[in-house]
């Protein structure tokens, strides 16, 4: 049956994304691709389209483990049966749902077979189905922690091991992991992030001609998918041939010691801790050469590989923008080229000197030999040849350009609520009085106890164990009005927000920031779990002017009322309480502030007031405001990001 996915060759405006996907197709051992970007940028479209151009694999019909005919799994009765014949089949493309259970992913006891007298039979899970294929996860940063742990184990070993319900099964599970994510939804755990070989940042095209072509193609596809796919079939077939050729060529591609030293040099210069980066760059550079029909890796291949391998692995300073410093990369490549030229020149001079010492040939012959040696001037006249690879092997509408550019729990998982009424089911435990019956585990227990006389008893009952995420919204309301300490307060908030967001994946917390100065308050940072988004929103925080405290309290109330969190939020207010801008003309700013604080207290909003008042004469209004909020008031003589983080985390533990 012909696929109706949008054709891979028809994707326009995302060459980096297409190249990264093709590289993992050439060498599946690399590990996979992480695609980060905004909504509507062809992330899922390109990922799903990749399967249609992959060279087919040998597979026995009905095999649940996608066994290779050369090494069938010991648990696969289909492949080990007499007369089993393998045919060419499409590469499996398996989607892992965010709400999947461990049983569905790992595999479990086949209850139906057990009831029919088949004994303990293993029912293969999604990992078995994805073996030798693609495992796709949409919004991978939202994947439940217990499933992330499973993926990390299997990705490290290439084997899925199931030890449960009397079963002891091990089967190969090697797949290309493709994940998509939107940074607005939060970050990815560092351990899983490092498992993705390549990472691509995608964005909607800025060129109006490209955007219009994207729309034109999509509308044509939606009007008649079958006809549109058929119209692109020749280009799809060309890509299929290109991939098959590259896979055959890959073992012959050479990467010499000079290129390997350059890989390690780039990783060190960009402060990449993981050695996996060096290995993946090696594989990616060779795959680039094979995809382009070449047998030797060039510096241009390494540069392109670096742009895909290093950005998500390099160490970043607080509030440093993500991505790779292109100027620094250019300088490092030029330096490497210069050193290579000097080595070639020294080698040529040494060879010439040896010839002269040996007295081989006359002076004319020596001149000819010297003329044949490469010189630094020759290399300097053609720098493009050192940094660019050809694209003669590329399929129509897709060019692989080697020189193209490419645009984190010490406090425990407070938000995990075991056996919550709502949440994901992670396991089942025996319980004669379950409040939430685990039907599958209960039936399996009854089957295992007496397969020949199926009967569910009270001893077979199992309780569902759920993990519900109780995420908190931490709302900072910061006084940015004119004072000597305003800038220091804002800098402390920057560091605090970043520190609280670094483990947002495990905690699922969100952070928002309201600043007030002049005549109004402003929501500088809408609720987010994304470090990158926080960096951008807090990159420039203006200070100075009057103190519109009631405006800030009103905006905080509106922001919290718009929230959808099931757990209570936490309001963190940094102010000296000296309000001097009223909401209504002729109003009393301080009375308005206290009234709004009482409204927040009536709604049960937990709060923490940090008194920033300085000087010999103090009015103590921050303490009065804390009393109206029903909150704790702390005096911070020396405000820093570190002690503020510890204070807020301790307060969250009591919420």
């Amino acid at each position: 049956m012909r696929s109706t996915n949008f054709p891979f060759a028809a994707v326009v405006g995302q060459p980096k994304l297409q190249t990264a996907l093709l590289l993992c197709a050439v060498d599946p051992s690399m590990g996979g691709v992480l695609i980060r970007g905004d909504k509507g940028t062809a992330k899922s479209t390109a990922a799903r389209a990749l399967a249609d151009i992959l060279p087919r694999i040998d597979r026995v019909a009905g095999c649940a483990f996608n066994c290779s005919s050369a090494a069938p799994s010991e648990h696969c009765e289909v492949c080990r049966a007499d007369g089993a014949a393998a045919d060419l089949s499409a590469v499996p493309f398996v989607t892992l749902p965010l709400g999947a259970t461990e049983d569905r992913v790992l595999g479990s006891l086949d209850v139906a077979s057990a009831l029919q007298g088949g004994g303990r039979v293993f029912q293969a899970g999604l990992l078995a189905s994805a073996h030798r294929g693609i495992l796709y996860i949409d919004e991978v940063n939202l994947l439940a922690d217990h499933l992330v742990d499973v993926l990390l184990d299997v990705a490290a070993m290439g084997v899925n091991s199931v030890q449960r319900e009397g079963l002891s099964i091990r089967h190969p599970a090697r797949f290309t992991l493709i994940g998509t994510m939107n940074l607005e939804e939060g970050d990815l755990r560092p351990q899983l992030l490092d498992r993705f070989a390549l990472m691509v940042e995608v964005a909607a095209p800025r060129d109006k001609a490209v955007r219009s072509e994207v729309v034109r193609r999509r509308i044509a596809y939606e009007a008649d998918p079958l006809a549109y796919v058929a119209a692109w079939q020749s280009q799809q077939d060309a890509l299929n041939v290109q991939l098959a050729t590259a896979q055959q060529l890959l073992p012959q591609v050479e990467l010499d010691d000079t290129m390997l030293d350059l890989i390690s040099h780039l990783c060190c210069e960009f402060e990449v801790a993981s050695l996996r980066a060096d290995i993946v760059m090696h594989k990616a550079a060779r795959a680039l050469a094979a995809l382009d029909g070449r047998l030797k890796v060039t510096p241009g291949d390494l540069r392109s590989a670096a742009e895909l391998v290093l950005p998500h692995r390099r160490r970043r300073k607080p509030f440093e923008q993500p991505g790779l410093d292109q100027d620094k990369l250019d300088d490092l490549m030029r330096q490497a080229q210069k050193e290579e030229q000097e080595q070639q020149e020294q080698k040529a001079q040494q060879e010439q000197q040896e010839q002269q010492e040996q007295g081989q040939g006359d002076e004319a012959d020596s001149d000819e030999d010297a003329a044949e040696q490469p010189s630094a001037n020759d290399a300097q006249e053609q720098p493009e040849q050192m940094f660019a690879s050809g694209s003669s092997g590329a399929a129509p509408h897709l060019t692989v350009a080697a020189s193209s550019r490419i645009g984190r729990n010490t406090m425990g998982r407070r938000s995990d609520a075991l056996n919550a009424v709502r949440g994901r089911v992670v396991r089942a435990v025996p319980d004669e009085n379950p409040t939430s019956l685990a039907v599958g585990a209960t039936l399996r227990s009854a089957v295992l106890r007496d397969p020949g006389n199926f009967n569910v008893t009270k001893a077979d009952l199992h309780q569902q164990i759920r993990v519900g995420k109780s995420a908190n919204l931490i709302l900072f309301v910061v006084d940015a009005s004119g004072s000597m300490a305003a800038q220091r307060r804002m800098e402390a908030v920057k560091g605090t927000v970043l520190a609280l967001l670094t483990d947002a994946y495990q905690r699922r917390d969100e952070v928002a920031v309201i600043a007030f100065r002049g005549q109004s308050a402003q929501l500088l940072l809408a609720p987010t779990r994304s470090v990158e988004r926080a960096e951008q929103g807090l990159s420039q925080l203006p200070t100075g002017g009057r103190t519109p405290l009631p405006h800030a309290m009103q905006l905080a109330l509106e922001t919290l009322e718009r929230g959808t969190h099931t757990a209570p939020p936490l309001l963190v207010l940094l102010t000296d309480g000296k309000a001097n801008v009223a909401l209504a003309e002729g109003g009393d700013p301080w009375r308005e502030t206290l009234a709004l604080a009482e409204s927040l207290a009536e709604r049960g909003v937990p709060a923490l007031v940090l008194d920033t008042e300085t000087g010999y004469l103090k009015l103590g209004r921050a303490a009065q405001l804390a009393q109206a909020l029903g909150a704790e008031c702390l005096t911070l003589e020396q405000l820093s990001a570190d002690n503020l983080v510890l204070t807020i985390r301790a307060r969250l533990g009591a919420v």
Side-chain angles (χ1 to χ4, degrees), residues 106 127 149-161 171-175:
L106 295 174
L127 295 181
D149 296 336
V150 166
L151 283 178
L152 288 174
D153 290 340
V154 175
M157 304 299 296
V159 174
N160 179 32
S161 179
H171 66 81
R174 295 183 176 87
F175 44 79

Side-chain angles (χ1 to χ4, degrees), residues 426-546:
V426 295
R427 66 181 68 91
V429 297
D431 189 339
E432 294 186 355
N433 297 290
T435 57
S436 178
L437 180 65
V439 177
T442 299
L443 294 177
R444 285 192 291 269
S445 175
V447 170
L448 291 173
R449 181 174 48 79
D450 189 356
N453 183 23
F454 177 70
N455 182 33
V456 178
T457 68
K458 195 171 185 178
D460 297 317
L461 300 181
H462 279 62
Q463 166 74 35
Q464 288 182 337
I465 301 299
R466 297 175 178 266
V467 173
K469 289 298 180 181
S470 180
N472 288 83
L473 170 61
I474 308 168
L475 177 59
F476 289 88
V477 179
V478 188
D479 185 353
S481 61
S483 69
M484 294 298 292
Q487 187 62 39
R488 185 157 53 91
R489 288 197 298 268
M490 301 307 284
E491 290 299 328
V493 169
K494 285 183 182 180
T496 305
V497 169
L498 182 63
L500 290 172
L501 284 173
T502 52
D503 61 349
Y505 184 92
Q506 291 90 346
R507 297 172 180 266
R508 294 295 195 267
D509 288 337
E510 292 186 336
V511 176
V513 177
I514 292 174
F516 58 99
R517 60 182 289 273
Q519 297 296 319
S520 62
Q522 178 184 2
L523 183 62
L524 290 179
L525 180 64
T528 183
R529 289 197 299 268
S530 169
V531 175
E532 281 77 7
R533 186 176 176 186
E535 290 171 347
Q536 296 173 3
L538 301 179
S539 58
Q540 294 182 348
L541 297 178
T543 58
R546 304 181 70 187

Side-chain angles (χ1 to χ4, degrees), residues 586-654:
D588 186 328
W590 180 237
R591 291 184 179 276
E592 291 176 346
T593 299
L594 292 178
L596 287 165
E598 292 171 356
S599 297
L600 286 164
E602 291 174 358
R603 288 167 170 77
V605 177
L608 176 64
V609 177
L610 306 177
D611 187 359
T612 62
E613 188 175 25
T614 58
Y616 178 77
L617 181 62
K618 297 182 179 180
L619 300 179
R621 286 193 169 182
Q624 298 177 43
L625 180 56
Q627 184 177 3
L629 284 166
E632 183 180 7
C633 182
L634 301 177
T635 300
L636 298 180
E637 297 294 337
Q638 292 182 338
L639 189 61
S640 70
D642 291 339
N643 61 33
L644 183 52
V645 169
L646 294 175
T647 301
I648 291 173
R649 283 181 174 165
R651 189 67 184 87
L652 279 172

